[in-house]
Amino acid sequence: MQNVTCSRCGTPFKTVASAANETPPATHFCCAGCALLARVPVDEKGQFPVNAHLISALVTGFLYFNQLLFWLLTLLLEHQEKIARASQFCRAGAVAALAVWCAVAYIQWREQAARRADYCVSAIALGIHAWMIAGAIISGATPRAWPMAAANALLILWNARGVFRGKKSRR
C-alpha cells in the first residue's frame, strides 16, 4: 500500500502499489466522482463540451430523479386510495432503482477509481434492492420504494464524496 493524494480534491488515501515493472499512474482519484469531473474538460470561459463522462453523469441523475418521482407518485396515489395505480408506479420505481445502481456501477467501472470500500457500498445498496424486491415477491406486495431511494442516494453521495470537498488549491 502506498499513500497518495487525489489529483482533483487533494484527499489523502492509500492505494495498492504498482508492480516494479509497471509505470505508476500519474493521477490518482479518491472516488469515481473526482475521476469523472477530472475527465470533463472546461475551457477558459468555464464552459465545457459534452462528452461521454458528462452524459453518463447526467443519465444517472435523470434515472435517480425518475426513481424519486415514481416513489412520490406512489405516495400520492396511496393517499388518494388508488392502490392499483400506486402499485404500478412502485414497481416502476423498483426498476428505476436497479437502473440507477447499474448506472453508478458502470461509472465506477469506466472511471477505474473504485476501491474496496466503494465495492462494499455498492454491494450493500444492491443487497437492499434485492431484499426489497425479494420480500415483495414472497409476500405478494409491492416493493417499498423509500429504502431503495435512500440506498441509491447514499451510493451516489459515497461515489461523489470528493466532489463536495472542492478542487485542491494550486500552489
Side-chain angles (χ1 to χ4, degrees), residues 62-128:
F62 177 75
L63 289 170
Y64 186 64
F65 170 79
N66 281 304
Q67 178 189 356
L68 292 177
L69 182 65
F70 289 141
W71 173 43
L72 293 174
L73 286 171
T74 299
L75 293 176
L76 178 67
L77 291 169
E78 284 176 349
H79 180 71
Q80 295 176 352
E81 297 181 5
K82 297 179 180 177
I83 304 302
R85 178 66 75 186
S87 176
Q88 292 173 339
F89 278 108
C90 194
R91 287 186 186 97
V95 170
L98 290 173
V100 169
W101 185 89
C102 289
V104 171
Y106 172 73
I107 289 172
Q108 279 183 337
W109 170 77
R110 193 192 63 230
E111 299 302 331
Q112 298 178 351
R115 295 189 315 272
R116 188 177 305 140
D118 298 330
Y119 293 123
C120 290
V121 171
S122 293
I124 290 169
L126 184 61
I128 291 171

Short mmCIF file of all heavy atoms in Angstrom, two decimals, residues 62-128:
data_model
loop_
_atom_site.label_atom_id
_atom_site.label_comp_id
_atom_site.label_asym_id
_atom_site.label_seq_id
_atom_site.Cartn_x
_atom_site.Cartn_y
_atom_site.Cartn_z
N PHE A 62 -30.69 11.70 -14.12
CA PHE A 62 -32.04 11.59 -14.68
C PHE A 62 -32.74 10.34 -14.17
O PHE A 62 -33.92 10.38 -13.80
CB PHE A 62 -31.96 11.58 -16.21
CG PHE A 62 -33.27 11.39 -16.89
CD1 PHE A 62 -34.19 12.42 -16.96
CD2 PHE A 62 -33.59 10.18 -17.47
CE1 PHE A 62 -35.41 12.25 -17.59
CE2 PHE A 62 -34.81 9.99 -18.11
CZ PHE A 62 -35.72 11.03 -18.17
N LEU A 63 -32.02 9.22 -14.14
CA LEU A 63 -32.61 7.98 -13.64
C LEU A 63 -32.99 8.10 -12.16
O LEU A 63 -34.06 7.65 -11.75
CB LEU A 63 -31.65 6.81 -13.84
CG LEU A 63 -31.44 6.34 -15.28
CD1 LEU A 63 -30.29 5.35 -15.35
CD2 LEU A 63 -32.71 5.75 -15.83
N TYR A 64 -32.11 8.73 -11.37
CA TYR A 64 -32.42 8.88 -9.94
C TYR A 64 -33.60 9.83 -9.75
O TYR A 64 -34.46 9.59 -8.90
CB TYR A 64 -31.20 9.37 -9.16
CG TYR A 64 -31.46 9.39 -7.68
CD1 TYR A 64 -31.70 8.20 -7.00
CD2 TYR A 64 -31.52 10.57 -6.98
CE1 TYR A 64 -31.97 8.20 -5.65
CE2 TYR A 64 -31.79 10.58 -5.62
CZ TYR A 64 -32.02 9.39 -4.97
OH TYR A 64 -32.30 9.40 -3.63
N PHE A 65 -33.68 10.89 -10.54
CA PHE A 65 -34.83 11.79 -10.47
C PHE A 65 -36.11 11.02 -10.75
O PHE A 65 -37.13 11.20 -10.06
CB PHE A 65 -34.67 12.93 -11.47
CG PHE A 65 -35.91 13.77 -11.63
CD1 PHE A 65 -36.23 14.73 -10.69
CD2 PHE A 65 -36.76 13.57 -12.71
CE1 PHE A 65 -37.38 15.50 -10.82
CE2 PHE A 65 -37.91 14.33 -12.85
CZ PHE A 65 -38.22 15.30 -11.91
N ASN A 66 -36.10 10.16 -11.77
CA ASN A 66 -37.29 9.37 -12.09
C ASN A 66 -37.63 8.38 -10.99
O ASN A 66 -38.80 8.13 -10.71
CB ASN A 66 -37.13 8.68 -13.44
CG ASN A 66 -37.37 9.63 -14.58
OD1 ASN A 66 -38.41 10.26 -14.66
ND2 ASN A 66 -36.39 9.79 -15.43
N GLN A 67 -36.60 7.80 -10.36
CA GLN A 67 -36.87 6.90 -9.24
C GLN A 67 -37.60 7.65 -8.13
O GLN A 67 -38.59 7.15 -7.58
CB GLN A 67 -35.57 6.32 -8.72
CG GLN A 67 -35.77 5.41 -7.52
CD GLN A 67 -34.47 4.99 -6.86
OE1 GLN A 67 -33.39 5.32 -7.31
NE2 GLN A 67 -34.59 4.27 -5.77
N LEU A 68 -37.13 8.84 -7.80
CA LEU A 68 -37.79 9.65 -6.77
C LEU A 68 -39.20 10.06 -7.20
O LEU A 68 -40.13 10.07 -6.39
CB LEU A 68 -36.96 10.88 -6.44
CG LEU A 68 -35.63 10.64 -5.75
CD1 LEU A 68 -34.88 11.95 -5.56
CD2 LEU A 68 -35.84 9.94 -4.41
N LEU A 69 -39.35 10.40 -8.48
CA LEU A 69 -40.66 10.77 -8.99
C LEU A 69 -41.65 9.62 -8.87
O LEU A 69 -42.79 9.81 -8.43
CB LEU A 69 -40.54 11.22 -10.45
CG LEU A 69 -41.82 11.70 -11.12
CD1 LEU A 69 -42.33 12.97 -10.45
CD2 LEU A 69 -41.57 11.93 -12.60
N PHE A 70 -41.23 8.41 -9.23
CA PHE A 70 -42.11 7.24 -9.10
C PHE A 70 -42.49 7.01 -7.64
O PHE A 70 -43.63 6.67 -7.33
CB PHE A 70 -41.45 5.99 -9.69
CG PHE A 70 -41.34 6.00 -11.19
CD1 PHE A 70 -40.21 5.52 -11.81
CD2 PHE A 70 -42.37 6.49 -11.98
CE1 PHE A 70 -40.10 5.52 -13.18
CE2 PHE A 70 -42.26 6.50 -13.36
CZ PHE A 70 -41.12 6.01 -13.96
N TRP A 71 -41.52 7.19 -6.74
CA TRP A 71 -41.80 7.00 -5.31
C TRP A 71 -42.82 8.03 -4.83
O TRP A 71 -43.77 7.69 -4.12
CB TRP A 71 -40.50 7.09 -4.53
CG TRP A 71 -40.67 7.07 -3.05
CD1 TRP A 71 -41.49 6.25 -2.32
CD2 TRP A 71 -40.00 7.89 -2.10
NE1 TRP A 71 -41.36 6.51 -0.98
CE2 TRP A 71 -40.45 7.51 -0.82
CE3 TRP A 71 -39.05 8.88 -2.20
CZ2 TRP A 71 -39.99 8.12 0.34
CZ3 TRP A 71 -38.59 9.47 -1.05
CH2 TRP A 71 -39.06 9.10 0.20
N LEU A 72 -42.64 9.29 -5.20
CA LEU A 72 -43.57 10.32 -4.76
C LEU A 72 -44.95 10.13 -5.37
O LEU A 72 -45.97 10.37 -4.70
CB LEU A 72 -43.01 11.70 -5.09
CG LEU A 72 -41.77 12.09 -4.29
CD1 LEU A 72 -41.21 13.41 -4.78
CD2 LEU A 72 -42.07 12.14 -2.81
N LEU A 73 -45.01 9.70 -6.63
CA LEU A 73 -46.31 9.40 -7.23
C LEU A 73 -46.99 8.22 -6.53
O LEU A 73 -48.22 8.21 -6.36
CB LEU A 73 -46.15 9.11 -8.72
CG LEU A 73 -45.89 10.32 -9.60
CD1 LEU A 73 -45.53 9.91 -11.01
CD2 LEU A 73 -47.08 11.26 -9.60
N THR A 74 -46.19 7.25 -6.10
CA THR A 74 -46.75 6.13 -5.34
C THR A 74 -47.38 6.63 -4.04
O THR A 74 -48.50 6.24 -3.70
CB THR A 74 -45.64 5.10 -5.02
OG1 THR A 74 -45.12 4.60 -6.24
CG2 THR A 74 -46.18 3.95 -4.19
N LEU A 75 -46.67 7.50 -3.34
CA LEU A 75 -47.21 8.05 -2.09
C LEU A 75 -48.50 8.83 -2.33
O LEU A 75 -49.47 8.72 -1.57
CB LEU A 75 -46.17 8.94 -1.41
CG LEU A 75 -44.93 8.26 -0.87
CD1 LEU A 75 -43.95 9.30 -0.32
CD2 LEU A 75 -45.29 7.25 0.19
N LEU A 76 -48.50 9.65 -3.38
CA LEU A 76 -49.68 10.44 -3.70
C LEU A 76 -50.87 9.55 -4.03
O LEU A 76 -51.99 9.77 -3.54
CB LEU A 76 -49.37 11.37 -4.87
CG LEU A 76 -50.52 12.24 -5.36
CD1 LEU A 76 -50.90 13.26 -4.30
CD2 LEU A 76 -50.15 12.93 -6.66
N LEU A 77 -50.65 8.54 -4.85
CA LEU A 77 -51.74 7.65 -5.25
C LEU A 77 -52.22 6.80 -4.08
O LEU A 77 -53.43 6.50 -3.97
CB LEU A 77 -51.32 6.79 -6.43
CG LEU A 77 -51.14 7.55 -7.74
CD1 LEU A 77 -50.46 6.69 -8.79
CD2 LEU A 77 -52.49 8.07 -8.24
N GLU A 78 -51.32 6.39 -3.19
CA GLU A 78 -51.75 5.65 -2.00
C GLU A 78 -52.60 6.54 -1.11
O GLU A 78 -53.58 6.08 -0.51
CB GLU A 78 -50.55 5.12 -1.22
CG GLU A 78 -49.89 3.93 -1.86
CD GLU A 78 -48.64 3.49 -1.12
OE1 GLU A 78 -48.15 4.24 -0.23
OE2 GLU A 78 -48.13 2.40 -1.44
N HIS A 79 -52.25 7.81 -1.00
CA HIS A 79 -53.04 8.75 -0.20
C HIS A 79 -54.43 8.95 -0.79
O HIS A 79 -55.40 9.13 -0.06
CB HIS A 79 -52.31 10.10 -0.11
CG HIS A 79 -53.04 11.13 0.68
ND1 HIS A 79 -53.16 11.04 2.04
CD2 HIS A 79 -53.69 12.25 0.30
CE1 HIS A 79 -53.86 12.08 2.48
NE2 HIS A 79 -54.18 12.83 1.44
N GLN A 80 -54.52 8.89 -2.12
CA GLN A 80 -55.81 9.02 -2.80
C GLN A 80 -56.54 7.68 -2.90
O GLN A 80 -57.58 7.60 -3.53
CB GLN A 80 -55.61 9.61 -4.19
CG GLN A 80 -55.11 11.02 -4.18
CD GLN A 80 -54.83 11.54 -5.58
OE1 GLN A 80 -54.87 10.81 -6.58
NE2 GLN A 80 -54.55 12.83 -5.67
N GLU A 81 -55.96 6.64 -2.30
CA GLU A 81 -56.52 5.29 -2.27
C GLU A 81 -56.68 4.67 -3.65
O GLU A 81 -57.62 3.92 -3.92
CB GLU A 81 -57.83 5.27 -1.49
CG GLU A 81 -57.64 5.66 -0.03
CD GLU A 81 -58.92 5.64 0.76
OE1 GLU A 81 -59.97 5.23 0.22
OE2 GLU A 81 -58.85 6.04 1.93
N LYS A 82 -55.76 4.98 -4.54
CA LYS A 82 -55.70 4.37 -5.87
C LYS A 82 -54.57 3.34 -5.83
O LYS A 82 -53.51 3.52 -6.41
CB LYS A 82 -55.47 5.42 -6.94
CG LYS A 82 -56.59 6.44 -7.03
CD LYS A 82 -56.31 7.48 -8.07
CE LYS A 82 -57.45 8.48 -8.12
NZ LYS A 82 -57.19 9.56 -9.07
N ILE A 83 -54.83 2.26 -5.14
CA ILE A 83 -53.80 1.28 -4.80
C ILE A 83 -53.26 0.57 -6.04
O ILE A 83 -52.04 0.33 -6.13
CB ILE A 83 -54.34 0.26 -3.78
CG1 ILE A 83 -54.88 0.98 -2.53
CG2 ILE A 83 -53.29 -0.77 -3.43
CD1 ILE A 83 -53.83 1.85 -1.84
N ALA A 84 -54.10 0.23 -6.99
CA ALA A 84 -53.63 -0.49 -8.18
C ALA A 84 -52.64 0.37 -8.98
O ALA A 84 -51.59 -0.11 -9.41
CB ALA A 84 -54.81 -0.89 -9.06
N ARG A 85 -52.97 1.63 -9.17
CA ARG A 85 -52.09 2.53 -9.91
C ARG A 85 -50.81 2.80 -9.11
O ARG A 85 -49.72 2.85 -9.66
CB ARG A 85 -52.82 3.84 -10.22
CG ARG A 85 -52.00 4.86 -10.95
CD ARG A 85 -51.62 4.45 -12.32
NE ARG A 85 -52.77 4.56 -13.19
CZ ARG A 85 -52.78 4.16 -14.44
NH1 ARG A 85 -51.69 3.66 -14.97
NH2 ARG A 85 -53.84 4.26 -15.17
N ALA A 86 -50.95 2.94 -7.79
CA ALA A 86 -49.77 3.15 -6.93
C ALA A 86 -48.82 1.96 -7.02
O ALA A 86 -47.60 2.13 -7.03
CB ALA A 86 -50.21 3.37 -5.49
N SER A 87 -49.37 0.77 -7.09
CA SER A 87 -48.56 -0.44 -7.20
C SER A 87 -47.75 -0.44 -8.50
O SER A 87 -46.59 -0.85 -8.51
CB SER A 87 -49.46 -1.66 -7.13
OG SER A 87 -48.74 -2.83 -7.33
N GLN A 88 -48.35 0.03 -9.59
CA GLN A 88 -47.64 0.10 -10.86
C GLN A 88 -46.47 1.08 -10.78
O GLN A 88 -45.37 0.79 -11.27
CB GLN A 88 -48.58 0.52 -11.99
CG GLN A 88 -49.62 -0.52 -12.32
CD GLN A 88 -50.64 0.00 -13.31
OE1 GLN A 88 -50.84 1.20 -13.47
NE2 GLN A 88 -51.33 -0.94 -13.98
N PHE A 89 -46.68 2.24 -10.17
CA PHE A 89 -45.60 3.21 -10.05
C PHE A 89 -44.52 2.72 -9.09
O PHE A 89 -43.34 3.02 -9.29
CB PHE A 89 -46.14 4.57 -9.58
CG PHE A 89 -46.70 5.39 -10.70
CD1 PHE A 89 -48.06 5.57 -10.83
CD2 PHE A 89 -45.86 5.98 -11.63
CE1 PHE A 89 -48.58 6.33 -11.87
CE2 PHE A 89 -46.36 6.73 -12.68
CZ PHE A 89 -47.73 6.91 -12.80
N CYS A 90 -44.92 1.96 -8.09
CA CYS A 90 -43.93 1.41 -7.16
C CYS A 90 -43.03 0.40 -7.87
O CYS A 90 -41.82 0.39 -7.66
CB CYS A 90 -44.65 0.78 -5.97
SG CYS A 90 -43.56 0.44 -4.60
N ARG A 91 -43.61 -0.43 -8.72
CA ARG A 91 -42.81 -1.37 -9.50
C ARG A 91 -41.89 -0.63 -10.47
O ARG A 91 -40.73 -1.02 -10.66
CB ARG A 91 -43.71 -2.34 -10.24
CG ARG A 91 -44.35 -3.37 -9.33
CD ARG A 91 -45.13 -4.42 -10.11
NE ARG A 91 -45.83 -5.29 -9.22
CZ ARG A 91 -47.11 -5.16 -8.87
NH1 ARG A 91 -47.85 -4.19 -9.40
NH2 ARG A 91 -47.67 -6.00 -8.03
N ALA A 92 -42.40 0.42 -11.08
CA ALA A 92 -41.56 1.23 -11.98
C ALA A 92 -40.41 1.86 -11.20
O ALA A 92 -39.29 1.96 -11.70
CB ALA A 92 -42.40 2.30 -12.67
N GLY A 93 -40.68 2.27 -9.97
CA GLY A 93 -39.63 2.83 -9.12
C GLY A 93 -38.57 1.79 -8.79
O GLY A 93 -37.38 2.12 -8.71
N ALA A 94 -38.98 0.54 -8.59
CA ALA A 94 -38.01 -0.53 -8.32
C ALA A 94 -37.13 -0.78 -9.53
O ALA A 94 -35.91 -0.97 -9.40
CB ALA A 94 -38.74 -1.82 -7.91
N VAL A 95 -37.70 -0.74 -10.72
CA VAL A 95 -36.92 -0.89 -11.94
C VAL A 95 -35.96 0.28 -12.09
O VAL A 95 -34.78 0.11 -12.43
CB VAL A 95 -37.85 -1.02 -13.18
CG1 VAL A 95 -37.05 -0.95 -14.47
CG2 VAL A 95 -38.64 -2.32 -13.10
N ALA A 96 -36.45 1.48 -11.81
CA ALA A 96 -35.58 2.67 -11.88
C ALA A 96 -34.45 2.58 -10.86
O ALA A 96 -33.32 3.00 -11.13
CB ALA A 96 -36.40 3.94 -11.67
N ALA A 97 -34.74 2.04 -9.67
CA ALA A 97 -33.70 1.89 -8.64
C ALA A 97 -32.59 0.97 -9.13
O ALA A 97 -31.40 1.27 -8.94
CB ALA A 97 -34.31 1.33 -7.35
N LEU A 98 -32.95 -0.13 -9.76
CA LEU A 98 -31.93 -1.03 -10.30
C LEU A 98 -31.17 -0.37 -11.45
O LEU A 98 -29.96 -0.57 -11.59
CB LEU A 98 -32.57 -2.34 -10.75
CG LEU A 98 -33.09 -3.23 -9.62
CD1 LEU A 98 -33.85 -4.42 -10.18
CD2 LEU A 98 -31.97 -3.68 -8.72
N ALA A 99 -31.86 0.44 -12.25
CA ALA A 99 -31.18 1.15 -13.34
C ALA A 99 -30.18 2.16 -12.80
O ALA A 99 -29.08 2.31 -13.34
CB ALA A 99 -32.21 1.84 -14.23
N VAL A 100 -30.53 2.84 -11.71
CA VAL A 100 -29.61 3.80 -11.08
C VAL A 100 -28.38 3.05 -10.56
O VAL A 100 -27.24 3.48 -10.77
CB VAL A 100 -30.29 4.57 -9.94
CG1 VAL A 100 -29.29 5.36 -9.12
CG2 VAL A 100 -31.36 5.50 -10.50
N TRP A 101 -28.61 1.92 -9.90
CA TRP A 101 -27.48 1.14 -9.38
C TRP A 101 -26.56 0.71 -10.53
O TRP A 101 -25.34 0.81 -10.42
CB TRP A 101 -27.97 -0.09 -8.61
CG TRP A 101 -26.84 -0.82 -7.97
CD1 TRP A 101 -26.33 -0.60 -6.73
CD2 TRP A 101 -26.05 -1.86 -8.55
NE1 TRP A 101 -25.27 -1.46 -6.51
CE2 TRP A 101 -25.08 -2.22 -7.61
CE3 TRP A 101 -26.07 -2.50 -9.77
CZ2 TRP A 101 -24.13 -3.23 -7.85
CZ3 TRP A 101 -25.12 -3.49 -10.03
CH2 TRP A 101 -24.18 -3.84 -9.07
N CYS A 102 -27.15 0.25 -11.63
CA CYS A 102 -26.34 -0.17 -12.79
C CYS A 102 -25.57 1.01 -13.37
O CYS A 102 -24.41 0.86 -13.78
CB CYS A 102 -27.23 -0.80 -13.85
SG CYS A 102 -27.88 -2.41 -13.40
N ALA A 103 -26.19 2.19 -13.42
CA ALA A 103 -25.51 3.37 -13.96
C ALA A 103 -24.32 3.76 -13.07
O ALA A 103 -23.24 4.08 -13.58
CB ALA A 103 -26.49 4.54 -14.08
N VAL A 104 -24.50 3.71 -11.76
CA VAL A 104 -23.39 4.03 -10.86
C VAL A 104 -22.29 2.98 -10.97
O VAL A 104 -21.10 3.31 -10.99
CB VAL A 104 -23.89 4.17 -9.40
CG1 VAL A 104 -22.74 4.30 -8.42
CG2 VAL A 104 -24.82 5.37 -9.27
N ALA A 105 -22.67 1.72 -11.07
CA ALA A 105 -21.67 0.65 -11.23
C ALA A 105 -20.90 0.83 -12.54
O ALA A 105 -19.68 0.61 -12.59
CB ALA A 105 -22.34 -0.72 -11.18
N TYR A 106 -21.59 1.24 -13.57
CA TYR A 106 -20.92 1.49 -14.87
C TYR A 106 -19.91 2.63 -14.74
O TYR A 106 -18.79 2.54 -15.25
CB TYR A 106 -21.95 1.80 -15.95
CG TYR A 106 -21.31 2.23 -17.25
CD1 TYR A 106 -20.65 1.32 -18.06
CD2 TYR A 106 -21.34 3.57 -17.65
CE1 TYR A 106 -20.05 1.71 -19.24
CE2 TYR A 106 -20.74 3.97 -18.83
CZ TYR A 106 -20.10 3.04 -19.62
OH TYR A 106 -19.50 3.44 -20.78
N ILE A 107 -20.29 3.69 -14.07
CA ILE A 107 -19.37 4.82 -13.87
C ILE A 107 -18.16 4.37 -13.06
O ILE A 107 -17.02 4.72 -13.39
CB ILE A 107 -20.09 6.01 -13.22
CG1 ILE A 107 -21.07 6.64 -14.20
CG2 ILE A 107 -19.10 7.06 -12.71
CD1 ILE A 107 -21.96 7.70 -13.60
N GLN A 108 -18.39 3.59 -12.00
CA GLN A 108 -17.27 3.07 -11.21
C GLN A 108 -16.32 2.26 -12.08
O GLN A 108 -15.11 2.40 -12.00
CB GLN A 108 -17.77 2.17 -10.07
CG GLN A 108 -18.24 2.89 -8.87
CD GLN A 108 -18.65 1.90 -7.79
OE1 GLN A 108 -18.97 0.75 -8.06
NE2 GLN A 108 -18.65 2.37 -6.56
N TRP A 109 -16.88 1.39 -12.90
CA TRP A 109 -16.06 0.53 -13.75
C TRP A 109 -15.29 1.35 -14.78
O TRP A 109 -14.11 1.16 -14.98
CB TRP A 109 -16.96 -0.50 -14.44
CG TRP A 109 -16.25 -1.27 -15.50
CD1 TRP A 109 -15.38 -2.31 -15.33
CD2 TRP A 109 -16.32 -1.04 -16.90
NE1 TRP A 109 -14.92 -2.73 -16.54
CE2 TRP A 109 -15.49 -1.98 -17.52
CE3 TRP A 109 -17.03 -0.14 -17.69
CZ2 TRP A 109 -15.33 -2.04 -18.90
CZ3 TRP A 109 -16.88 -0.20 -19.06
CH2 TRP A 109 -16.03 -1.14 -19.65
N ARG A 110 -15.98 2.29 -15.44
CA ARG A 110 -15.34 3.05 -16.51
C ARG A 110 -14.28 4.02 -15.99
O ARG A 110 -13.23 4.18 -16.60
CB ARG A 110 -16.38 3.82 -17.31
CG ARG A 110 -15.77 4.35 -18.61
CD ARG A 110 -16.61 5.36 -19.34
NE ARG A 110 -16.76 6.52 -18.50
CZ ARG A 110 -17.93 7.09 -18.24
NH1 ARG A 110 -19.02 6.62 -18.77
NH2 ARG A 110 -18.01 8.15 -17.48
N GLU A 111 -14.53 4.63 -14.85
CA GLU A 111 -13.56 5.61 -14.32
C GLU A 111 -12.37 4.92 -13.65
O GLU A 111 -11.35 5.55 -13.43
CB GLU A 111 -14.24 6.56 -13.35
CG GLU A 111 -15.35 7.38 -13.96
CD GLU A 111 -14.93 8.22 -15.14
OE1 GLU A 111 -13.74 8.63 -15.20
OE2 GLU A 111 -15.76 8.45 -16.02
N GLN A 112 -12.50 3.68 -13.29
CA GLN A 112 -11.43 2.88 -12.68
C GLN A 112 -10.82 3.57 -11.46
O GLN A 112 -9.61 3.54 -11.26
CB GLN A 112 -10.36 2.55 -13.71
CG GLN A 112 -10.87 1.73 -14.84
CD GLN A 112 -9.81 1.43 -15.88
OE1 GLN A 112 -8.72 1.97 -15.86
NE2 GLN A 112 -10.14 0.55 -16.81
N ALA A 113 -11.68 4.19 -10.65
CA ALA A 113 -11.21 4.85 -9.44
C ALA A 113 -11.77 4.18 -8.19
O ALA A 113 -11.52 4.62 -7.08
CB ALA A 113 -11.61 6.32 -9.45
N ALA A 114 -12.53 3.09 -8.38
CA ALA A 114 -13.18 2.44 -7.25
C ALA A 114 -12.17 1.63 -6.44
O ALA A 114 -11.26 1.01 -6.99
CB ALA A 114 -14.31 1.54 -7.74
N ARG A 115 -12.36 1.67 -5.13
CA ARG A 115 -11.54 0.88 -4.21
C ARG A 115 -12.45 -0.12 -3.50
O ARG A 115 -13.64 -0.19 -3.76
CB ARG A 115 -10.84 1.81 -3.22
CG ARG A 115 -9.85 2.73 -3.93
CD ARG A 115 -8.97 3.52 -2.97
NE ARG A 115 -9.62 4.13 -1.84
CZ ARG A 115 -10.17 5.35 -1.85
NH1 ARG A 115 -10.17 6.05 -2.94
NH2 ARG A 115 -10.70 5.84 -0.76
N ARG A 116 -11.88 -0.90 -2.62
CA ARG A 116 -12.62 -1.96 -1.94
C ARG A 116 -13.86 -1.40 -1.23
O ARG A 116 -14.94 -1.98 -1.30
CB ARG A 116 -11.71 -2.67 -0.95
CG ARG A 116 -12.35 -3.90 -0.35
CD ARG A 116 -11.41 -4.65 0.57
NE ARG A 116 -10.18 -4.97 -0.12
CZ ARG A 116 -8.98 -4.89 0.43
NH1 ARG A 116 -8.84 -4.52 1.67
NH2 ARG A 116 -7.90 -5.21 -0.26
N ALA A 117 -13.73 -0.29 -0.54
CA ALA A 117 -14.87 0.30 0.17
C ALA A 117 -15.99 0.69 -0.79
O ALA A 117 -17.17 0.55 -0.46
CB ALA A 117 -14.42 1.51 0.97
N ASP A 118 -15.63 1.15 -1.99
CA ASP A 118 -16.64 1.52 -2.98
C ASP A 118 -17.44 0.29 -3.41
O ASP A 118 -18.66 0.36 -3.57
CB ASP A 118 -15.98 2.16 -4.20
CG ASP A 118 -15.27 3.45 -3.84
OD1 ASP A 118 -15.70 4.14 -2.91
OD2 ASP A 118 -14.27 3.76 -4.51
N TYR A 119 -16.74 -0.83 -3.60
CA TYR A 119 -17.44 -2.06 -3.98
C TYR A 119 -18.33 -2.56 -2.84
O TYR A 119 -19.41 -3.10 -3.09
CB TYR A 119 -16.44 -3.13 -4.41
CG TYR A 119 -15.72 -2.79 -5.69
CD1 TYR A 119 -14.34 -2.73 -5.73
CD2 TYR A 119 -16.42 -2.51 -6.86
CE1 TYR A 119 -13.67 -2.40 -6.91
CE2 TYR A 119 -15.77 -2.19 -8.03
CZ TYR A 119 -14.40 -2.13 -8.05
OH TYR A 119 -13.76 -1.80 -9.20
N CYS A 120 -17.90 -2.38 -1.62
CA CYS A 120 -18.71 -2.80 -0.46
C CYS A 120 -19.99 -1.97 -0.37
O CYS A 120 -21.07 -2.51 -0.14
CB CYS A 120 -17.91 -2.68 0.84
SG CYS A 120 -16.61 -3.90 0.99
N VAL A 121 -19.88 -0.66 -0.55
CA VAL A 121 -21.06 0.21 -0.52
C VAL A 121 -22.01 -0.16 -1.66
O VAL A 121 -23.23 -0.22 -1.46
CB VAL A 121 -20.64 1.70 -0.57
CG1 VAL A 121 -21.85 2.60 -0.76
CG2 VAL A 121 -19.89 2.08 0.70
N SER A 122 -21.47 -0.43 -2.83
CA SER A 122 -22.31 -0.85 -3.96
C SER A 122 -23.01 -2.17 -3.68
O SER A 122 -24.19 -2.34 -4.00
CB SER A 122 -21.47 -0.98 -5.23
OG SER A 122 -21.00 0.26 -5.64
N ALA A 123 -22.30 -3.10 -3.05
CA ALA A 123 -22.91 -4.39 -2.71
C ALA A 123 -24.02 -4.23 -1.68
O ALA A 123 -25.05 -4.90 -1.77
CB ALA A 123 -21.83 -5.35 -2.21
N ILE A 124 -23.81 -3.36 -0.72
CA ILE A 124 -24.85 -3.11 0.29
C ILE A 124 -26.10 -2.51 -0.36
O ILE A 124 -27.23 -2.93 -0.07
CB ILE A 124 -24.31 -2.20 1.41
CG1 ILE A 124 -23.29 -2.96 2.25
CG2 ILE A 124 -25.44 -1.66 2.29
CD1 ILE A 124 -22.50 -2.09 3.21
N ALA A 125 -25.90 -1.54 -1.26
CA ALA A 125 -27.04 -0.93 -1.95
C ALA A 125 -27.78 -1.97 -2.79
O ALA A 125 -29.01 -2.02 -2.78
CB ALA A 125 -26.58 0.23 -2.82
N LEU A 126 -27.03 -2.81 -3.50
CA LEU A 126 -27.67 -3.86 -4.30
C LEU A 126 -28.40 -4.85 -3.40
O LEU A 126 -29.49 -5.33 -3.73
CB LEU A 126 -26.64 -4.57 -5.17
CG LEU A 126 -27.20 -5.63 -6.12
CD1 LEU A 126 -28.18 -5.02 -7.10
CD2 LEU A 126 -26.07 -6.33 -6.86
N GLY A 127 -27.81 -5.16 -2.25
CA GLY A 127 -28.47 -6.05 -1.29
C GLY A 127 -29.80 -5.48 -0.80
O GLY A 127 -30.78 -6.21 -0.63
N ILE A 128 -29.83 -4.18 -0.54
CA ILE A 128 -31.10 -3.54 -0.12
C ILE A 128 -32.13 -3.65 -1.22
O ILE A 128 -33.30 -3.98 -0.97
CB ILE A 128 -30.85 -2.08 0.29
CG1 ILE A 128 -30.05 -2.04 1.59
CG2 ILE A 128 -32.16 -1.31 0.44
CD1 ILE A 128 -29.55 -0.67 1.99
#
